[in-house]
Amino acid sequence: MAAPTAYSLIATDLDGTLLRSDDTLSDRSLAALARATEAGAQHLVVTGRPAPRVRPLFDDLGSRGLAVCGQGAQLYDPGADRLLWSVTLDRDLAETALGKIEAEVGQVYAAVDQDGVDGLTLIEPGYLMPHPTLPAVRVPRRDDLWCEPISKVLLRHPYLSDDELASAARMAVGSLATVTMSGPGTVELQPCGITKATGLALAADHLGLTAERTIAFGDMPNDIPMFDWAAHGVAMANAHPELKAVADEVTLSNEDDGIAVVLDRLFR
């Protein structure tokens, strides 16, 4: 059955958007997504989380769809537990980029997401995980972060705000990497040119769908490329001001089922 609205692809971020602050999905959000998929639309998760941190959520979603992970660096099939596509961040470039950032702002604390469906999140001494529910392995020194291929680097600064750190990092790294801010305490370096939009476009092409029939939901500046690509971008009430400024619509917060409010209107 064809979707009864202009949108046949629903792209949702996870943290701060579809998920509540305790990393759970509300019954109302699940029901709204189920109605939309029954009407013929497809739901696509588009998240900064790496593939291994997305897999458990698909049991709750009851979905066998695809997921764009790692800020667009991975296209993941949870049903088959395999990556259909991935791109890694060159580890020498990542180390050089960190050095350039620290030359500008002083010491930062770093973590990495390893590539692959079984990749670990490694954190160096001093790094605090912004999502304490997500598993991570602490390593004794920074050099240990580079032991396996990585999809991205996560950064924290002892006193700079996320906005200040992201701005300084962009100036420092230039074309060595793409700098994104995906949540509180989450400034990231990913392969140059890779964004949520590149991953979303690849996934849509794989599904035979187009930007013109895509509605996207998000809450942070890393969702801006996704909003630029999709026909309609919906920011959550709790979204960063930069995302609200480019959104076509602002809905309720993730705690108040903002996605469900919009989907209930579109897929009655």
Side-chain angles (χ1 to χ4, degrees):
M1 181 191 304
T5 75
Y7 307 116
S8 54
L9 181 58
I10 302 163
T12 66
D13 175 45
L14 288 179
D15 297 291
T17 302
L18 181 60
L19 297 179
R20 295 178 291 194
S21 59
D22 61 358
D23 274 7
T24 61
L25 292 151
S26 74
D27 290 340
R28 184 180 178 188
S29 292
L30 288 170
L33 286 168
R35 280 192 297 273
T37 54
E38 286 169 6
Q42 297 199 51
H43 175 218
L44 184 69
V45 166
V46 186
T47 178
R49 293 190 183 199
R53 309 296 170 254
V54 170
R55 184 169 49 215
L57 292 169
F58 271 73
D59 292 335
D60 295 330
L61 282 168
S63 171
R64 303 202 180 281
L66 301 178
V68 175
C69 303
Q71 307 292 9
Q74 299 172 327
L75 181 57
Y76 176 54
D77 180 348
D81 192 26
R82 67 187 182 99
L83 291 175
L84 303 181
W85 178 84
S86 71
V87 59
T88 58
L89 175 60
D90 182 275
R91 286 168 280 175
D92 288 337
L93 287 182
E95 198 167 13
T96 299
L98 273 179
K100 288 180 174 292
I101 293 168
E102 289 186 319
E104 295 296 324
V105 302
Q107 183 178 15
V108 298
Y109 300 109
V112 300
D113 284 335
Q114 293 179 333
D115 190 40
V117 296
D118 295 314
L120 301 173
T121 297
L122 305 181
I123 57 178
E124 72 173 349
Y127 186 90
L128 298 177
M129 285 291 289
H131 296 287
T133 61
L134 296 180
V137 176
R138 189 169 297 280
V139 295
R141 55 199 184 115
R142 179 171 290 180
D143 285 350
D144 297 322
L145 298 177
W146 321 121
C147 63
E148 298 287 345
I150 61 174
S151 59
K152 64 180 179 179
V153 178
L154 301 91
L155 306 175
R156 302 198 74 168
H157 194 276
Y159 61 83
L160 290 181
S161 70
D162 296 332
D163 291 288
E164 291 169 333
L165 178 57
S167 177
R170 288 189 187 100
M171 292 292 293
V173 306
S175 61
L176 291 177
T178 296
V179 178
T180 61
M181 180 169 51
S182 62
T186 315
V187 174
E188 302 178 356
L189 307 179
Q190 59 204 63
C192 186
I194 295 296
T195 67
K196 282 191 174 184
T198 56
L200 177 54
L202 183 69
D205 184 66
H206 186 83
L207 296 170
L209 300 172
T210 63
E212 292 74 19
R213 300 201 64 188
T214 300
I215 182 170
F217 295 84
D219 73 307
M220 290 300 290
N222 65 320
D223 295 312
I224 291 174
M226 179 167 71
F227 278 25
D228 289 342
W229 185 86
H232 193 77
V234 183
M236 314 307 288
N238 51 288
H240 191 284
E242 287 183 20
L243 186 68
K244 286 183 176 179
V246 301
D248 298 298
E249 178 180 352
V250 177
T251 186
L252 299 183
S253 73
N254 61 319
E255 300 291 343
D256 295 319
D257 298 315
I259 289 178
V261 168
V262 176
L263 295 183
D264 285 347
R265 185 185 78 223
L266 296 175
F267 297 91
R268 294 187 185 276

